Amino acid sequence: MLTLPDYPWNALAPYLARAAEHEGGAVNLSIGTPVDPTPEIIMRALREGANAPGYPTTHGTPAVREAIVNWFARRRDVHGLSSDDVMPTVGSKELVAWLPLLLGLGAGDLVVRPRVAYPTYDIGAQLAGADSIAADSLASLSDTDRARVKLVWVNSPGNPTGIIRGAEDLKALVDDARSLGAVVASDECYAELGWGEHEAGVPSILHESVSGLDHSDLLAVYSLSKQSNLAGYRAAFVAGAPNLMPALINNRKHAGMIVPAPVQSAMVAALNDDEHVKAQKNIYRARREALVPALNAFGLRIEDSVGGLYLWCTADEDCWKTIGRLAELGIVAGPGAFYGTAGEGFVRIALTESDERIASAVERLNAASR
């Protein structure tokens, strides 16, 4: 029997219950699930693609692969991708969890993930029977561990920290990983959500400045859940690594990992339309601008948080104490401890509640600070 750790979010149950007792109800800022409507242009494409009696292809329709390639060129300044080098996935979490196994990793192999990171990177290593280690630089590893590295995860903009890694930093990591013969997988699902100086864009692992126009052993993982409110569609994709993609496609065929045909049609519409993405970002911007001063007034210091859907906050105390204090106000946050020991003094605040609930949270934080 496969034994995995308890799902971490179950530990929030008592705090959710406490927050629900607040007279204004709970404001759940703990999980980054979109709450705004799916754009009509995407729903229309889903409806129009609903007559799909045959099996869709694992590799994806020519239309969705062309849309992915064009999106990378238009939005990420990534050129040189072939439609053979991209593939839709059943959400990005599915690929994160199964990539080590799909790549053939096993006992003795080492997966490297960021020091503060999405827990599924570690789960993927466990599913494959490999080991995992937290490090932001391969140079920090021992020679023994460096010799075992087979897969390196990068997450920029990061979840939960909102940190963004620059092209020079990414290139150094890629060059080091390549010297070890390791694959680099970059989880870039918040790339359209750069803030401040990063508004113009966030570097991709596939960009020429990082890859040198050689995409071998480099995979960019992306999701439409956040930018297009498509979490319920499970619409994502992976691109790059022409030396690995044929085997990934073949292995996924055997496992029946296929994105439904109507969802692939919806993905084409989502990828070809930039206006709804801009509109959604402006919604998140307004929520962010409302929350930041209220959190500061409550005594929370915001660190990093220059990209993505979250504010990474600390009161220089154990995260569970902060979680408890917020729950007394009817506000639920994400404990930093869920993301590794380096996150134990932090909480993650998501921007994914309605405008009305965000306003309620701001009001409560301001009242508590007076």
Side-chain angles (χ1 to χ4, degrees):
M1 173 66 70
L2 179 66
T3 303
L4 296 175
D6 288 340
Y7 194 62
W9 294 97
N10 295 339
L12 266 183
Y15 299 94
L16 284 163
R18 188 185 310 175
E21 294 173 356
H22 191 277
E23 62 180 0
V27 180
N28 192 342
L29 305 179
S30 67
I31 298 181
T33 185
V35 299
D36 301 304
T38 300
E40 174 59 32
I41 189 173
I42 301 173
M43 292 193 292
R44 182 167 63 248
L46 183 77
R47 291 191 296 267
E48 291 173 353
N51 184 18
Y55 290 110
T57 64
T58 297
H59 195 185
T61 64
V64 78
R65 286 187 278 132
E66 180 182 4
I68 293 169
V69 169
N70 291 340
W71 178 85
F72 264 107
R74 187 179 73 253
R75 300 300 303 166
R76 309 299 308 282
D77 195 26
V78 169
H79 304 277
L81 274 176
S82 163
S83 61
D84 291 336
D85 303 337
V86 300
M87 173 174 50
T89 63
V90 189
S92 59
K93 184 173 184 177
E94 169 255 296
L95 186 75
V96 170
W98 292 107
L99 184 60
L101 185 64
L102 293 170
L103 290 174
L105 273 61
D109 293 331
L110 187 62
V111 176
V112 181
R113 56 87 167 168
R115 290 179 63 245
V116 182
Y118 188 46
T120 309
Y121 304 130
D122 285 335
I123 295 298
Q126 292 183 52
L127 289 170
D131 299 321
S132 64
I133 191 169
D136 292 326
S137 167
L138 299 180
S140 66
L141 303 182
S142 69
D143 289 344
T144 300
D145 282 338
R146 282 174 62 86
R148 297 195 298 133
V149 175
K150 294 295 186 292
L151 174 62
V152 181
W153 277 107
V154 181
N155 181 207
S156 175
N159 172 18
T161 62
I163 195 169
I164 290 177
R165 300 186 69 158
E168 185 176 345
D169 185 24
L170 288 173
K171 184 179 186 303
L173 179 67
V174 165
D175 289 347
D176 201 0
R178 282 177 162 166
S179 75
L180 302 176
V183 174
V184 181
S186 181
D187 184 350
E188 302 177 354
C189 71
Y190 299 100
E192 289 276 16
L193 293 170
W195 307 110
E197 64 181 284
H198 302 284
E199 290 275 358
V202 174
S204 171
I205 202 83
L206 302 180
H207 190 269
E208 179 182 0
S209 62
V210 178
S211 68
L213 280 181
D214 177 8
H215 296 156
S216 299
D217 292 326
L218 302 182
L219 292 167
V221 181
Y222 202 79
S223 168
L224 299 180
S225 294
K226 315 302 184 184
Q227 71 178 50
S228 300
N229 298 328
L230 290 187
Y233 284 47
R234 313 312 301 132
F237 50 89
V238 60
N243 59 319
L244 302 175
M245 193 62 71
L248 286 177
I249 294 166
N250 186 62
N251 293 344
R252 289 172 62 83
K253 285 180 180 178
H254 282 294
M257 294 176 174
I258 307 172
V259 176
V263 174
Q264 293 192 41
S265 297
M267 289 177 67
V268 173
L271 287 162
N272 288 340
D273 179 72
D274 296 335
E275 291 307 310
H276 78 275
V277 180
K278 294 176 185 176
Q280 186 60 46
K281 183 174 182 178
N282 285 334
I283 291 171
Y284 286 134
R285 187 195 317 280
R287 293 171 184 166
R288 173 187 170 88
E289 292 175 351
L291 277 168
V292 166
L295 291 166
N296 288 158
F298 185 66
L300 293 178
R301 185 177 71 255
I302 298 170
E303 295 193 359
D304 298 322
S305 306
V306 292
L309 280 180
Y310 310 107
L311 297 168
W312 187 235
C313 310
T314 182
D316 295 316
E317 63 188 11
D318 181 81
C319 65
W320 291 105
K321 182 175 181 180
T322 309
I323 293 293
R325 292 198 293 120
L326 289 168
E328 292 296 334
L329 302 181
I331 299 170
V332 187
F338 286 180
Y339 304 94
T341 56
E344 290 177 351
F346 291 80
V347 297
R348 191 191 76 170
I349 304 290
L351 307 179
T352 49
E353 265 278 28
S354 68
D355 291 346
E356 182 273 327
R357 300 314 286 158
I358 293 289
S360 180
V362 167
E363 182 181 353
R364 298 176 196 186
L365 290 164
N366 287 335
S369 66
R370 288 197 285 270

